[in-house]
Amino acid sequence: MSDVVTTVLFEHPLNEKMRTWLRIEFLLQQMHANTQITSISTALLFFRTASDLLDVLERGEVRTDLLKELERQQQKLSQWQDVPGVDLSRIDALRSELKQNAAVLFKAPRIGQALREDRLMALVRQRLSIPGGCCSFDLPTLHIWLHLPQSHRDSDVREWLDTLNPLNNALTQVLDLIRQSGAFKNQISLNGFFQENAEGADLLRLRISLENQLYPQVSGHKTRYAIRFLPLDSERGQVPARLTFELACC
């Protein structure tokens, strides 16, 4: 991280749906950041992340939940149309984008199915749980794939990621709108503790100064939450009696 960073942003989900979405976003970002596979180390990073993503997708109704949220966001936007001074063109553009993402997601094949059925992906996933199980003598298929022209590997990666575009586009728009729904406000914790109501909220976002090297430990659900600030150095670190931080409840 750069030394010029003066605040750190933390996000905490207040329900299981948001927890899953943030994990999927985290994994998709890693996959898109590691598309240039040039060695066994970069290959394993990509395949392990893809495998983690498939595991997360198998645990819940991700498509159904996203489609419901896309519809909910359209309804929320429609309520703004009669508010004086609202940029109607912007509202219409967002609603159109929501409808398009919903239509594409609805028509798309089962999310992640193309990756599950890919032979190379399946072979690598089988060996990831074995310590050192992706050596060349264990996975000669991966070994020869890594020696193909870079353009061939790049093409395979693009095809894999393209199959995830309906998920990625819908999730990105949903999370952007949820994050924008809550404005940051200055708050004060006393002796490292803060609590508040969160009726109907999905996500907490905290900005904390890096100066004190503190991190938040959040407990709560959709109606109420509590935040305890703890020092990175558990032995010598100190928590100010009054700590100012920024909080957005989205």
Side-chain angles (χ1 to χ4, degrees):
M1 297 296 290
S2 171
D3 291 337
V4 302
V5 175
T6 57
T7 61
V8 181
L9 175 65
F10 293 90
E11 293 187 327
H12 185 85
L14 293 174
N15 51 57
E16 191 59 33
K17 174 187 67 178
M18 180 58 66
R19 189 184 308 275
T20 298
W21 289 351
L22 291 180
R23 285 175 174 160
I24 292 174
E25 178 191 48
F26 175 70
L27 293 168
L28 285 171
Q29 288 174 346
Q30 290 185 65
M31 290 179 69
H32 281 88
N34 295 283
T35 57
Q36 195 75 9
I37 297 178
T38 58
S39 64
I40 184 62
S41 58
T42 55
L44 290 182
L45 178 59
F46 181 88
F47 283 112
R48 190 176 300 278
T49 304
S51 181
D52 287 347
L53 175 62
L54 293 178
D55 287 343
V56 173
L57 291 174
E58 289 171 358
R59 295 173 189 165
E61 297 294 330
V62 175
R63 186 209 301 263
T64 301
D65 288 340
L66 275 176
L67 287 172
K68 289 180 180 178
E69 185 63 26
L70 288 165
E71 177 62 29
R72 187 175 79 92
Q73 291 294 336
Q74 289 183 56
Q75 294 175 359
K76 287 179 64 176
L77 286 172
S78 66
Q79 296 173 3
W80 284 90
Q81 288 187 314
D82 297 328
V83 177
V86 169
D87 186 347
L88 292 178
S89 62
R90 178 59 176 160
I91 296 294
D92 289 341
L94 285 172
R95 290 186 66 192
S96 176
E97 188 178 348
L98 284 165
K99 289 180 180 179
Q100 181 179 0
N101 283 331
V104 172
L105 182 62
F106 180 79
K107 294 178 181 178
R110 183 186 176 194
I111 300 175
Q113 190 62 28
L115 295 183
R116 294 184 190 92
E117 295 177 350
D118 185 87
R119 182 170 178 269
L120 178 59
M121 185 74 66
L123 288 172
V124 176
R125 288 189 75 198
Q126 290 174 6
R127 309 296 301 184
L128 286 173
S129 61
I130 303 172
C134 294
C135 291
S136 60
F137 59 85
D138 280 314
L139 269 178
T141 307
L142 176 61
H143 188 64
I144 189 64
W145 184 77
L146 288 170
H147 284 78
L148 295 178
Q150 183 67 47
S151 59
H152 183 103
R153 295 196 299 278
D154 290 345
S155 177
D156 285 345
V157 170
R158 280 195 303 271
E159 289 182 11
W160 291 329
L161 291 178
D162 284 347
T163 67
L164 297 173
N165 278 340
L167 169 66
N168 190 33
N169 293 337
L171 182 63
T172 297
Q173 187 179 27
V174 161
L175 290 179
D176 282 348
L177 290 173
I178 290 175
R179 285 170 173 136
Q180 293 171 24
S181 69
F184 280 100
K185 299 178 181 178
N186 287 328
Q187 303 286 0
I188 296 176
S189 74
L190 301 178
N191 298 317
F193 183 77
F194 180 86
Q195 64 178 355
E196 190 58 83
N197 295 325
E199 188 67 38
D202 293 307
L203 178 69
L204 293 181
R205 310 185 75 210
L206 297 87
R207 282 201 192 116
I208 306 172
S209 172
L210 190 59
E211 179 183 5
N212 295 308
Q213 297 187 24
L214 302 174
Y215 64 91
Q217 187 177 76
V218 183
S219 59
H221 45 78
K222 62 182 179 180
T223 59
R224 190 165 183 82
Y225 62 90
I227 305 172
R228 187 170 296 280
F229 294 94
L230 302 173
L232 180 61
D233 187 337
S234 59
E235 296 181 358
R236 294 182 296 273
Q238 294 183 345
V239 179
R242 293 174 63 87
L243 174 69
T244 300
F245 65 101
E246 292 181 87
L247 176 67
C249 192
C250 308

